[in-house]
Amino acid sequence: MENIQPFHSYKNPSLAVDLVVFGYKERTLSVLLLNRKEEPFKDCWTLPGAFLQMEERFRDTCSRVLSTKLGMNDVYLEQLYSFDEPDRDPRGRAIAVAYYALVNPSQVAVSAGHMANDVQWFDIKKLPELGFDHAIIFEQALKRLQAKILYFPVGFELLDDLFTMTELHDLYECILDLPLDRRNFRRKILDAEYIIATGKKREGLQNRHPELYKFNKKLKENSFQLNIS
Amino acid sequence: MENIQPFHSYKNPSLAVDLVVFGYKERTLSVLLLNRKEEPFKDCWTLPGAFLQMEERFRDTCSRVLSTKLGMNDVYLEQLYSFDEPDRDPRGRAIAVAYYALVNPSQVAVSAGHMANDVQWFDIKKLPELGFDHAIIFEQALKRLQAKILYFPVGFELLDDLFTMTELHDLYECILDLPLDRRNFRRKILDAEYIIATGKKREGLQNRHPELYKFNKKLKENSFQLNIS
DNA sequence: TCAAAAGTGTTGCGATTACACCCATGC
DNA sequence: GCATGGGTGTAATCGCAACACTTTTGA
């Protein structure tokens, strides 16, 4: 290409990525929050995030936050929406591109001890007040996850590689905040071929050993609709 | 608030808005494209867009493009996605926040004569090659529109205030690129109370005068699913 | 009276829901 | 043998798809 002039030094808004990190453990859907040590919103809980560096893609920024600050790698990420209220950050004009992430808390280093009292999982039903416009971002992320799980197998990112049907069922009930018929759920999930029985059983329980399933990674493009019952 | 320091002068990527403007006329869904007069992609067709100005919100930038460049006001706008490939613009790092717009071409000043040969409606089935990553953006916009129209009454933005059932039916067939049963379509649209019969008839036709409908602006929150037949 | 498009109901099928009993295991 | 959760099938209902004839109008 010829005659291409680089951009003039326009003044551009700051560009940040904010992350809604969902985790699921013990029948509870949680979000990871950071307690800020600096103004603005000092001592408030907020979503983790970072400014975009030149040459960095959104996903890279997300990964940087997740691995550097939170010790997580290989995380499911999806872009949510971009937020542009002029006063959303009191320090100046800042655009936020929000992503949500699904992680398995039991495979992740973030514990109550690590990174002190800065970072913590919160049950999504017991969230503290959030700084910036992060409450809005969180609400959108939750709605997106609830919608997505009905037509795309995304919940597996929150579970161990092997899981029982009951664990998957509980996860769906928890995300959708609705009771789902156990038998109908099983049939739909199996019909859609989202998961594969491994033949292995979970052992050491006081009762019948349930089958262990794994996610079917090469699933067909059958447009699946998990209607709630 | 106290002790709040403004942002340092971080170097930030350029931030632009790109617009997929859909119009519907004569049973054809079209997109508005601009023929660039400057490098890069000189003489190529591209989506309209503009750089975000400080203090401007995405929607403001969209409205600025639509009214200034295209003479359109009061347009339906929805944010689509944000694009961040580092080399999507050869002039330098540029983030694009894509929106799509729905307009009624017959109520809009953009004609073949106006703005010369710069700007033109293209049948979405006969698109030229597009500059930048605009083909990808367009594809996403079309998919979003196709999905949205099934659960939200968004098509009315493309029609006149008063329209016949057949016109609405044709619009849906055209957007979805599928034949829809006429009677089932009528029933579903009416059951969902998306539209209201006005009692008026379209006259001057060679055959039976069809009822004119208008969009029901205060529609219930009934979760509607227009299954295709 | 003819052509062209608008208006209108019903039936059959497939999908979904609702629902209860037996099974395996550890204690 | 008992308590606990896992596994399984069917009948009834609902929603959707398929489908054809009559009506209105202008020419």
Side-chain angles (χ1 to χ4, degrees), chain A residues 56 58 79 82 84 93, chain B residues 56-58 79 82 84 93:
Chain A
E56 202 177 37
F58 299 148
Q79 188 184 309
S82 297
D84 67 339
R93 187 76 202 284
Chain B
E56 202 178 38
R57 297 192 58 172
F58 299 148
Q79 187 184 310
S82 298
D84 69 338
R93 186 77 202 283

Side-chain angles (χ1 to χ4, degrees), chain A residues 2 4-7 12-15 39 51 55-58 79 81-82 84-85 89 91 93 95, chain B residues 4-7 12-15 39 51 55-58 79 81-82 84-85 89 91 93 95:
Chain A
E2 354 150 7
I4 299 181
Q5 302 299 321
F7 293 126
N12 292 303
S14 300
L15 199 51
E39 292 291 352
F51 288 102
E55 307 298 313
E56 202 177 37
R57 298 193 56 172
F58 299 148
Q79 188 184 309
Y81 199 76
S82 297
D84 67 339
E85 286 77 16
D89 191 317
R91 291 166 294 182
R93 187 76 202 284
I95 306 293
Chain B
I4 297 182
Q5 302 300 318
F7 291 126
N12 292 304
S14 299
L15 201 51
E39 292 291 353
F51 288 101
E55 306 297 314
E56 202 178 38
R57 297 192 58 172
F58 299 148
Q79 187 184 310
Y81 200 77
S82 298
D84 69 338
E85 286 75 17
D89 192 318
R91 290 166 293 182
R93 186 77 202 283
I95 305 293

Side-chain angles (χ1 to χ4, degrees), chain B residues 155-167:
Chain B
F156 311 97
E157 310 288 344
L158 294 161
L159 298 174
D160 292 334
D161 289 344
L162 297 182
F163 49 88
T164 66
M165 186 63 78
T166 301
E167 286 163 2

Side-chain angles (χ1 to χ4, degrees), chain B residues 65-152:
Chain B
V65 172
L66 288 168
S67 73
T68 307
K69 293 198 194 172
L70 308 170
M72 301 170 181
N73 295 296
D74 272 337
V75 164
Y76 177 88
L77 281 170
E78 183 177 328
Q79 187 184 310
L80 193 61
Y81 200 77
S82 298
F83 294 84
D84 69 338
E85 286 75 17
D87 56 356
R88 54 179 299 283
D89 192 318
R91 290 166 293 182
R93 186 77 202 283
I95 305 293
V97 182
Y99 273 69
Y100 74 91
L102 303 179
V103 307
N104 182 338
S106 56
Q107 293 177 357
V108 142
V110 177
S111 68
H114 183 58
M115 289 201 85
N117 49 10
D118 275 355
V119 53
Q120 217 173 286
W121 289 105
F122 282 84
D123 182 342
I124 62 157
K125 300 211 158 192
K126 297 167 190 167
L127 286 191
E129 209 171 315
L130 298 185
F132 301 104
D133 54 354
H134 289 181
I136 295 169
I137 298 178
F138 165 76
E139 281 302 327
Q140 284 212 22
L142 180 59
K143 274 188 199 154
R144 175 78 67 91
L145 177 60
Q146 288 174 334
K148 183 113 187 177
I149 208 173
L150 295 180
Y151 69 89
F152 201 78

Side-chain angles (χ1 to χ4, degrees), chain A residues 145-181:
Chain A
L145 177 60
Q146 288 174 335
K148 182 111 187 179
I149 207 173
L150 295 181
Y151 69 90
F152 201 78
V154 97
F156 312 96
E157 309 288 344
L158 295 160
L159 299 174
D160 292 333
D161 289 344
L162 297 181
F163 48 87
T164 67
M165 186 64 77
T166 301
E167 285 162 3
L168 188 62
H169 175 247
D170 288 346
L171 171 65
Y172 272 71
E173 285 196 336
C174 181
I175 291 177
L176 297 172
D177 197 20
L178 278 173
L180 300 175
D181 183 272

